[in-house]
Amino acid sequence: MRILVFANTPAHVHLYRHAVDRLESAGHDVLVLTREYACTTDLLDFFGLPYRRYGRHDTTAPSKPQLARELAEQAGRIVTESVRFRPDVIFGRGPYAALAGTVTRTPVVLVLDDEPGDFNHTVSRPFADCIISPAVTRRDLGDAHYTFDGFKECAYLHPEVFEPDEAVREYLGVDPEEPYALVRFNALDALHDAGLEGFTRDQRRDLLERLGERATVFVSDEGGEMDLQDLPARQYDLHPALIHDAMAEASLLVADTGTMVNEAALLGTPALRFRGTDDHEYGEFRELERVGIAEQFDEYDAVRDRSLELVGDPSASERWERRRREYVGDLVNLTELLVDVAEAGGSLERVDPSVRRSLHPQPRVGTSNRGSSASD
């Protein structure tokens, strides 16, 4: 089979990388279409995935004429590459996957998470043959929408998939028992981040100064704007492919971005999310809070104080790891599911019944489901 995968962000690379490896090992022809954005192509190179670029995404906002020209050029490249590749099934999300499926008359599988509904979903949904999302999703995306018990991060952080690099402390230059914290600052430049604000400049400095008094602090600044010269913190400078290994060994993760909080929680690392001005209720975070492996805060003082409390508590990591073992092992290994759906050409009717049992038709709006009842 010929399988086309869209990986537009670093998170998408992680989502599909094990499935791509498995499919190639089984003799299938796989192509990843991607764009230059953050470390996306760095990750594709690191993991040795077969890819071609269709464009780039800059963090600076282009003018309307520039944006229109860039979108037209990217659409043209996607059409060219898709027609040339002749896929049997397409995986992705948003209008690009929909476009590729339309011009090649190929089944499209959308793998979504619990982000707010937006233009991307509105455009792509009518073209999807199959939509897969976590069971905590609280949206009704139609008859083709199926859910699974887990998170999109289960494709690469499920215990059956993730194998930590035990040398990561050596790479970071920290001692075997030395506590360290990871702090992630969001660039907030994605479409779904429009109008949102996270940590302010003063809050960032205050958090790093206070955490630095209790632990070694590594900063992952997506926007690249933080000057750490006079702060008790170091730039996280390992290859981005090692971030999950570093996260697994950390005593704490604090962030104003969503994905890394999900990841740390599933790895058993105390994970705190500062919501800032984001008042959307995400099903994933509600579920992670319900089982006690992530916490969210609306006020800066609260997240700062909780950070200091946890990083100074030597038993916190053990509690989080115990909760992780009790919860994560029962979740769906999403890589296994993606491989089976791909080999079935995107048709759930052709998926092995044992696999199909892990997928559930999304209840129509107004009926109960796991995500909506977790904290009602």
Side-chain angles (χ1 to χ4, degrees), residues 184-186 188 197-200 203-204 207 253-258 261 271-278 285 295-304 307:
R184 170 71 163 182
F185 296 131
N186 200 343
L188 295 172
E197 295 180 5
F199 290 108
T200 67
Q203 289 169 347
R204 292 182 178 197
L207 179 64
L253 175 105
V254 188
D256 54 5
T257 181
V261 172
L272 308 183
R273 175 178 178 251
F274 177 51
R275 291 162 56 113
T277 61
D278 186 358
F285 295 132
E295 298 176 11
Q296 293 188 93
F297 299 86
D298 295 321
E299 302 296 331
Y300 167 69
D301 288 355
V303 70
R304 178 199 62 202
S307 301

Side-chain angles (χ1 to χ4, degrees), residues 8 54 93-94 151 189-190 193 214 335 361 371:
N8 297 327
Y54 65 80
R93 58 184 298 152
F151 304 81
D189 61 350
D193 293 327
R214 304 194 178 196
T335 286

Side-chain angles (χ1 to χ4, degrees), residues 34-310:
T34 189
R35 62 185 178 179
E36 290 285 354
Y37 172 61
C39 61
T40 304
T41 54
D42 291 335
L43 290 172
L44 290 166
D45 286 329
F46 184 92
F47 295 120
L49 303 186
Y51 72 92
R52 294 177 190 157
R53 300 178 185 85
Y54 65 80
R56 63 181 301 113
H57 173 72
D58 293 318
T59 56
T60 56
S63 65
K64 288 184 178 179
Q66 287 176 317
L67 179 60
R69 184 170 59 252
E70 289 174 6
L71 291 176
E73 290 174 352
Q74 292 181 12
R77 293 192 189 101
I78 287 170
V79 169
T80 300
E81 295 290 355
S82 300
V83 171
R84 179 185 300 165
F85 184 64
R86 296 178 290 107
D88 296 303
V89 63
I90 296 170
F91 284 80
R93 58 184 298 152
Y96 291 150
L99 173 62
T102 300
V103 298
T104 59
R105 298 183 180 181
T106 302
V108 174
V109 179
L110 303 182
V111 183
L112 308 179
D113 54 14
D114 194 34
E115 291 176 353
D118 58 21
F119 174 76
N120 284 335
H121 299 329
T122 301
V123 170
S124 58
R125 173 181 164 185
F127 300 91
D129 295 83
C130 176
I131 301 174
I132 300 173
S133 73
V136 293
T137 299
R138 292 144 311 140
R139 289 171 293 155
D140 177 1
L141 298 178
D143 293 337
H145 183 194
Y146 291 80
T147 66
F148 64 95
D149 291 330
F151 304 81
K152 72 179 190 302
E153 292 84 5
C154 288
Y156 52 99
L157 296 181
H158 191 280
E160 295 175 359
V161 176
F162 180 69
E163 296 182 6
D165 187 336
E166 297 179 356
V168 71
R169 282 184 170 270
E170 179 182 345
Y171 305 152
L172 289 169
V174 294
D175 294 333
E177 302 300 324
E178 182 179 350
Y180 69 86
L182 283 172
V183 179
R184 170 71 163 182
F185 296 131
N186 200 343
L188 295 172
D189 61 350
L191 181 62
H192 56 265
D193 293 327
L196 299 182
E197 295 180 5
F199 290 108
T200 67
R201 182 180 181 84
D202 288 343
Q203 289 169 347
R204 292 182 178 197
R205 293 185 62 85
D206 181 60
L207 179 64
L208 297 180
E209 286 174 350
R210 293 181 182 240
L211 275 178
E213 295 174 355
R214 304 194 178 196
T216 300
V217 179
F218 294 95
V219 178
S220 173
D221 179 22
E222 189 178 27
E225 300 174 352
M226 281 295 298
D227 181 1
L228 303 178
Q229 188 170 355
D230 61 340
L231 291 170
R234 310 181 201 173
Q235 188 71 37
Y236 174 81
D237 58 3
L238 299 187
H239 193 284
L242 298 173
I243 187 63
H244 302 120
D245 305 287
M247 212 182 292
E249 278 289 307
S251 302
L252 174 71
L253 175 105
V254 188
D256 54 5
T257 181
T259 296
M260 287 186 67
V261 172
N262 284 3
E263 291 170 336
L266 295 178
L267 288 168
T269 298
L272 308 183
R273 175 178 178 251
F274 177 51
R275 291 162 56 113
T277 61
D278 186 358
D279 60 0
H280 178 77
E281 282 291 334
Y282 297 86
E284 286 109 322
F285 295 132
R286 293 210 308 177
E287 175 68 3
L288 294 171
E289 283 187 299
R290 183 186 71 81
V291 298
I293 54 177
E295 298 176 11
Q296 293 188 93
F297 299 86
D298 295 321
E299 302 296 331
Y300 167 69
D301 288 355
V303 70
R304 178 199 62 202
D305 293 347
R306 182 59 169 156
S307 301
L308 298 175
E309 177 185 356
L310 287 174

